[in-house]
Structures are given as C-alpha cells and as structure tokens.
Amino acid sequence: MSARDDILARIHAANTGIAAPPVPRDYRRTGTHAPGDAELLELFTDRLVDYKATVVPCTPATLAATLADICRDWTVVVPAGSASSVPGAVVDDGLSYAQLDALDAVLTGCAAACAETGTIALDAGPDQGRRAVTLIPDRHICVVRADQVVHTVPELLARLDPTRPLTFISGPSATSDIELHRVEGVHGPRTLIVVLVTLSGGLRRRA
C-alpha cells in the first residue's frame, strides 16, 4: 500500500458511519429583480466598471457591428462552436498555447452572470471554448445577454452545472498579493470588455 492509499484509507475509516452535518440554507437565495431587469443591468455594469472592465451595450441588431468595431485592429480567436464572430477571426481548432499567446484577443459568450458581484461564469460551452482560450490571450471580449444576468450568487449557481469546468470572472485578472500593489494580467487577460446585449438598448458605454 502506498502512502497515499494509506492516508485515504484512514480518512475513509474515520468517516465511515458519520453523516454529513446539515448545510445551513437560511441565507438569501433570490434577489429582488428578475433576470435582465433594467436596474439589475445597471448594478451589473457598476460592478464591472469598479473592477476596471469596459461595458459596451448593444442590441441584437447591432451586436455584429459592435463586435467588429471593438475588434477592428485585433486578431481574435473564437471557440469552434461560437455563434458570434468578427472579420478575420481565427477559429480555435486546438491551437497551441504559443499560437493563442500570439493572438490579440478572444471572443466568447458566457453561461450566466451575477449582478451583485459583477461575476461572469463560463462553463466551457460551445460559445465559450476550453479554458486556455479564455486565459492566454491578453484581451477577453465576452458577450452577455441581458436574460443571462441574475441578481444573487445562489441564482447564478442554480444556472450552472457543477460537473462542468467552471470559470468565474470578476473583472480583468489581477492580484494585490504583494504589498497590496495591484498587478493585472497575472492569471489571465489584463483587459475585459463585456458586450451587454439588451432588447431595448438605452444603456451607455462605460469604462
């Protein structure tokens, strides 16, 4: 028996017959706004701007032109199953890390988003691709539909499948671990641009 097997066996023996304690569920599980509510989108935008992200609103009719304008000077990679694209985009068909690093930006969708924390969740769906695609390029353009934005974290988690590879994004990658000096781009893209798609428009670009 290896040391690993020995440790796991001891843990298993120690837990045999012991029921897991009940998990408290008396926290707030629903918000006060329905998904996609105008006030919710304002809150979501405020949070993203606080995190130094840029929010570009558009409607379904102007989405393609908005993306083309944002990406006009960049070479962009898109997941193979993405419904959104821009002229000259490179489709990720298994690009190497070096090839991804040579590209200017990645364009994806998302699985869901939480307004209260300004968090965007990716679950490696067809329009999001593998994790490396959203971590290596230095810019991430993420399309978020209004109906994907919920109020609270419990509502966000309820929309996600815990068996999928989940990535939670709250602004550009950054850390203040060393002497509280903020350094961006440590674990992922230094620039996050959120394209927020609403049926009515009416929001303004913020950064």
Side-chain angles (χ1 to χ4, degrees):
M1 176 182 290
S2 68
R4 175 180 178 277
D5 292 338
D6 181 45
I7 292 171
L8 292 177
R10 292 184 187 183
I11 294 173
H12 177 73
N15 286 295
T16 299
I18 299 176
V23 178
R25 300 290 185 188
D26 56 349
Y27 49 82
R28 185 166 59 105
R29 305 183 70 175
T30 57
T32 54
H33 301 288
D37 182 89
E39 290 189 39
L40 207 58
L41 300 181
E42 288 286 356
L43 176 62
F44 182 53
T45 300
D46 286 345
R47 294 288 189 269
L48 289 169
V49 172
D50 280 346
Y51 299 149
K52 300 184 182 300
T54 298
V55 181
V56 182
C58 70
T59 66
T62 61
L63 174 60
T66 300
L67 292 176
D69 182 56
I70 292 171
C71 303
R72 63 182 180 278
D73 296 324
W74 300 333
T75 301
V76 176
V77 60
V78 296
S82 176
S84 298
S85 189
V86 292
V90 176
V91 176
D92 176 40
D93 56 358
L95 297 173
S96 68
Y97 297 160
Q99 289 172 312
L100 289 172
D101 192 40
L103 299 170
D104 297 309
V106 57
L107 168 63
T108 74
C110 74
C114 173
E116 202 158 62
T117 60
T119 302
I120 296 167
L122 309 180
D123 67 356
D127 62 339
Q128 300 149 52
R130 57 195 170 118
R131 186 167 285 167
V133 174
T134 55
L135 292 179
I136 295 178
D138 204 28
R139 301 178 183 90
H140 185 181
I141 301 107
C142 187
V143 177
V144 180
R145 301 190 318 272
D147 62 1
Q148 292 180 301
V149 182
V150 297
H151 195 168
T152 64
V153 171
E155 290 173 292
L156 172 67
L157 297 179
R159 289 195 170 202
L160 302 175
D161 180 351
T163 65
R164 296 188 62 82
L166 301 175
T167 301
F168 296 91
I169 302 169
S170 295
S173 169
T175 181
S176 299
D177 287 348
I178 301 176
E179 298 182 352
L180 299 180
H181 293 303
R182 181 181 171 92
V183 178
E184 297 178 345
V186 177
H187 312 103
R190 284 182 293 183
T191 300
L192 174 64
I193 301 174
V194 176
V195 179
L196 186 55
V197 185
T198 68
L199 294 177
S200 60
L203 298 172
R204 58 188 173 85
R205 176 177 179 136
R206 294 178 60 189

